[in-house]
Structures are given as C-alpha cells and as structure tokens.
C-alpha cells in the first residue's frame, strides 16, 4: 500500500512540474500578459514637439501621429503644441530631456535657432528625429533623421504645371503667397518655383508675401494683391492649400472667377482643396503627405533596435491637375 502511495505521489509531482513548465512557456511567449509590444514590455517614450494647428495639413499630421503612437502598446507619446512659437518648442524639448524620454520628434517651425537645445538632447544621449520641416545646424549629428518631403521638387512641379496650364508660349503675372517666414517648407518651395521660372522669363512673380500658411492671412494678403494689381494678375502660387483657399475667397469677393480669370497652384492636397478643384476654383494641387505617423513609429522602433535609419526618409507624393483629376481623387483622400 505504502509503495503504491509513493509511486502515486511521484507521478503527481511529475505532472505538476510539467504543468508549471507549460505555464512558464505561455508567459515567456509574452502574449499572456496581453502586452503585444515588441520592446520586451517596456514602452518607448517619444516626446513630440508639434508646431501648432495653423493648417488642415498640420492637424492631419497631428492626428496621424497620435493615432499611430498614442494608441499603441509599443509607445508612450508625450505631445506638446507650441502654438506656432519656437520658444515653446525649445521649452518642450527641455522638458522631454528632463523627463528622460527615449526619442524626441520635432516639427521645427523655422530652420534656425536650434543648436543650443539640440546640443542638450545630444549630451543626454536622446536621438532627435525631424518631422516635415528641416533645420540649419553646423553639427549634423544634432539630429538623426528627417522624415518629410522634397519641398524644392514640390515648388518646381507647381511651376511646371502652371506653365503647362497657361501655355508655355504665353505670358503670366504671378502673385506668390509664401509660407511661414524662415520655415524650410516656405524657403524651399520658393526656391523650387523660382528655379523653373528662370528658364521661362514670360512667367513673372510680380508680388510675393508671407501668408504664414494660414487661410485667414492668405485671404488678407490676396486682398492686398488684388487692390494693387487686380486685373494684372494671371495666376496665384500658394505655398499651401490653406492660403490658396483664402485667396479663392478674396478673388470671388473681388468679382473675378478663381481657377478661370486667375489660375491657382498650391501644395498640400487637403480635402478642402480637392473640393475647390472639383468646382473648378483652383487648378493645380501638388501633394505633400502629412500622414507621417507610421514612418515615425518605424523609425523610432528601428532606432531603439540599434538599426541604422536613413538620414532623409522621404514621403511618397503625387500631383493633381484639373477638375476631373480632383473629382476622381476626392473619395479616396485621407486628410
Ligand atoms: C510641410 C509643412 C507645411 C504645410 C503647411 O511639410 O511643414 O506646414 O505645407 C503647414 O500646410 O502649415
């Protein structure tokens, strides 16, 4: 009897140890805890300094990053809105450093004035990824990568399409609505457009002023252009759709037909611009993709996994000319 009891106890111990082992196996799979993150349970903390909410493009970018990183088991997103002020971005970066975040993402409102605070991030061994605008620094190691568009190419494409639309044998007086003064997106879009006009002297920029990438300011500046040059204006080149939409309002209030009496080219590709194009009120939309959340998430993961990431992670973009193209694209536009 005693012998039987001993062998039963031995069997029990054996069964229990197997089930314990199996239980361990499940937990080491990591799935058991319910955290499906890929960083062995610890979330990657990302501090994102956003410029503000000046345009439809900007709010679409914020939404993409909050949806991708803010709702993910892999990341903890610390978000700061600078209300268009560089000093607020600098303060936010200082806070991220004090909080010892893993990575800093920065959409820099202007190109200059970043050396000192980015040197502090570098000393704290916190990598910086630039989003959607570039910076001018002597020490390139102050940021790891730039995720964004080729603004010079965007400006060149806007000019090429405008010349095609008006007719290369024709003349055109163009007014330019520039983006935020000192922003790389504005500087480079201006450069790109001017590059093409160099070879087309019959296409002239007769007035150029900043509308700060906003619809309200774009309308205000266009009203001034119409007051001074009215019927002498053949076309508008706006560095973003929001300023173009403001210009459309100003042109209509002035009594002319936007898209017909005055041709319009702008950059971004927000839904409101496609709606205006589908009504024939604007003519050329050069896409600039704001949905950078997935690219930022991948770049941060690669960085934390010790992988090399490209110095410039470009976004895929296209361009749309005319009512039909806008009508066809409108249903699938995501921002
Ligand atoms: C472009 C981005 C620009 C957009 C504007 O990457 O920096 O800023 O074109 C936005 O709409 O305000």
């Amino acid at each position: 009897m005693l012998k039987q009891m001993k062998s039963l106890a031995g069997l029990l111990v054996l069964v229990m140890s197997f089930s314990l082992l199996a239980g361990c196996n499940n937990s080491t799979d990591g799935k058991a805890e319910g955290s499906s993150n890929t960083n062995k349970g610890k979330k990657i903390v990302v501090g994102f300094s956003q410029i503000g909410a000046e345009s439809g493009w900007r709010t679409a970018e914020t939404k993409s990053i909050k949806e991708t990183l803010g709702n993910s088991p892999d990341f903890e997103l610390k978000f700061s809105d600078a209300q268009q002020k560089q000093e607020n971005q600098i303060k936010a970066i200082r806070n991220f450093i004090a909080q010892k975040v893993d990575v800093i993402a920065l959409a820099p409102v202007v190109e200059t004035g970043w050396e000192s605070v980015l040197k502090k991030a570098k000393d704290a061994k916190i990598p910086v990824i630039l989003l959607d605008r570039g910076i001018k620094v002597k020490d390139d190691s102050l940021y790891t990568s730039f995720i964004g568009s080729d603004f010079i190419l965007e400006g060149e494409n806007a000019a090429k399409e405008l010349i095609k639309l008006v007719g290369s044998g024709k003349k055109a007086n163009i007014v330019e609505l520039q983006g935020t003064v000192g922003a790389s997106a504005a500087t480079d879009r201006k450069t790109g457009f001017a590059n093409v006009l160099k070879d087309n002297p019959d296409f002239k920029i007769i007035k150029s002023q900043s509308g700060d990438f906003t619809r309200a300011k774009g309308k205000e500046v266009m009203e001034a252009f119409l007051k001074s040059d009215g019927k002498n204006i053949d076309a508008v080149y706006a560095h973003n759709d929001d300023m173009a939409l403001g210009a459309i309002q100003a042109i209509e209030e002035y009594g002319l037909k936007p898209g017909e009496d005055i041709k319009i080219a702008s950059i971004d590709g927000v839904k409101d611009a496609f709606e205006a194009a589908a009504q024939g009120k604007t003519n050329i939309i050069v896409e600039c993709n704001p949905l950078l959340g997935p690219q930022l998430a991948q770049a941060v993961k690669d960085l934390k996994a010790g992988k090399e990431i490209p110095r410039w992670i470009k976004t895929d973009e296209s361009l749309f000319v005319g009512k039909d193209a806008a009508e066809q694209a409108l249903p699938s536009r995501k921002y």
Side-chain angles (χ1 to χ4, degrees):
M1 177 62 172
L2 189 61
K3 214 167 153 225
Q4 275 162 334
M5 283 194 45
K6 271 188 184 158
S7 56
L8 187 62
L11 188 64
L12 259 177
V13 167
L14 207 62
V15 166
M16 275 172 70
S17 52
F18 268 120
S19 57
L20 263 177
L21 259 181
C24 286
N25 269 338
N26 282 337
S27 64
T28 48
D29 286 354
K31 302 281 183 296
E33 285 86 30
S35 78
S36 59
N37 83 9
T38 52
N39 194 33
K40 297 189 191 56
K42 188 180 170 307
K43 291 188 172 213
I44 305 173
V45 184
V46 178
F48 173 34
S49 168
Q50 177 58 300
I51 292 172
E54 74 281 1
S55 64
W57 189 98
R58 184 67 48 199
T59 44
E61 181 190 53
T62 295
K63 186 164 172 279
S64 171
I65 286 162
K66 283 186 173 176
E67 278 173 359
T68 314
L69 282 82
N71 305 337
S72 159
D74 296 331
F75 300 98
E76 179 193 330
L77 179 66
K78 293 181 183 295
F79 177 81
S80 151
D81 176 331
Q83 319 268 315
Q84 313 303 120
K85 293 188 175 66
Q86 182 175 29
E87 63 265 25
N88 290 344
Q89 291 199 285
I90 290 170
K91 257 185 241 148
I93 294 169
R94 285 214 184 97
N95 285 336
F96 294 149
I97 295 168
Q99 295 169 63
K100 297 186 174 30
V101 299
D102 294 305
V103 178
I104 290 171
L106 167 65
V109 60
V110 291
E111 288 184 290
T112 54
W114 300 102
E115 262 85 359
S116 151
V117 74
L118 293 187
K119 178 84 177 55
K120 287 182 174 50
K122 182 180 174 184
D123 294 346
K125 297 193 178 12
I126 300 174
V128 174
I129 294 178
L130 299 182
L131 283 177
D132 93 71
R133 289 186 191 174
I135 60 174
K136 282 202 167 75
V137 283
K138 290 185 200 67
D139 174 2
D140 272 350
S141 72
L142 290 180
Y143 68 92
T144 306
S145 179
F146 164 60
I147 301 177
S149 308
D150 182 340
F151 304 124
I152 291 180
L153 180 65
E154 291 172 345
E156 288 171 347
N157 285 337
K160 284 176 187 162
E161 292 304 327
L162 195 57
I163 290 166
K164 257 194 256 172
L165 183 71
V166 171
S168 51
K170 302 267 184 50
K171 293 178 183 298
N173 291 326
I174 303 162
V175 292
E176 180 181 30
L177 295 169
Q178 295 183 42
T180 302
V181 176
S184 67
T187 312
D188 291 351
R189 284 170 183 169
K190 181 174 181 55
T191 302
F193 195 87
N195 287 349
V196 173
L197 260 52
K198 264 184 230 143
D199 305 329
N200 295 272
D202 288 338
F203 286 75
K204 289 183 179 29
I205 291 181
I206 57 170
K207 284 278 179 3
S208 180
Q209 193 180 325
S210 174
D212 210 13
F213 282 133
T214 68
R215 202 177 291 209
K217 198 86 172 72
K219 180 172 189 265
E220 197 184 299
V221 173
M222 190 65 205
E223 282 163 350
F225 287 162
L226 287 162
K227 201 155 169 244
S228 62
D229 295 84
K231 298 245 186 310
N232 194 28
I233 298 171
D234 303 302
V236 177
Y237 167 46
H239 290 185
N240 82 332
D241 294 343
D242 283 66
M243 293 189 292
L245 292 161
I248 287 168
Q249 273 182 290
I251 293 166
E252 287 177 323
E253 287 169 12
Y254 184 76
L256 292 176
K257 289 195 185 72
E260 290 176 39
D261 302 325
I262 296 181
K263 302 297 182 199
I264 301 176
S266 65
I267 301 170
D268 275 353
V270 295
K271 210 168 268 179
D272 288 353
F274 277 88
E275 264 141 24
Q279 296 162 37
K281 294 186 175 181
T282 185
N283 308 95
I284 296 157
I285 298 174
V286 177
E287 190 179 39
C288 173
N289 188 345
L291 308 181
L292 305 182
Q295 286 171 304
L296 174 63
Q298 192 54 56
V300 168
K301 277 185 190 165
D302 290 347
L303 213 48
K304 293 313 286 175
K307 291 182 193 158
E308 188 83 9
I309 63 171
R311 186 79 180 149
W312 183 359
I313 300 171
K314 278 193 186 178
T315 43
D316 301 332
E317 298 166 348
S318 43
L319 63 88
F320 303 83
V321 182
K323 280 175 79 164
D324 296 349
E327 270 164 359
Q328 274 152 34
L330 198 47
S332 59
R333 296 304 298 169
K334 297 196 189 79
Y335 61 93

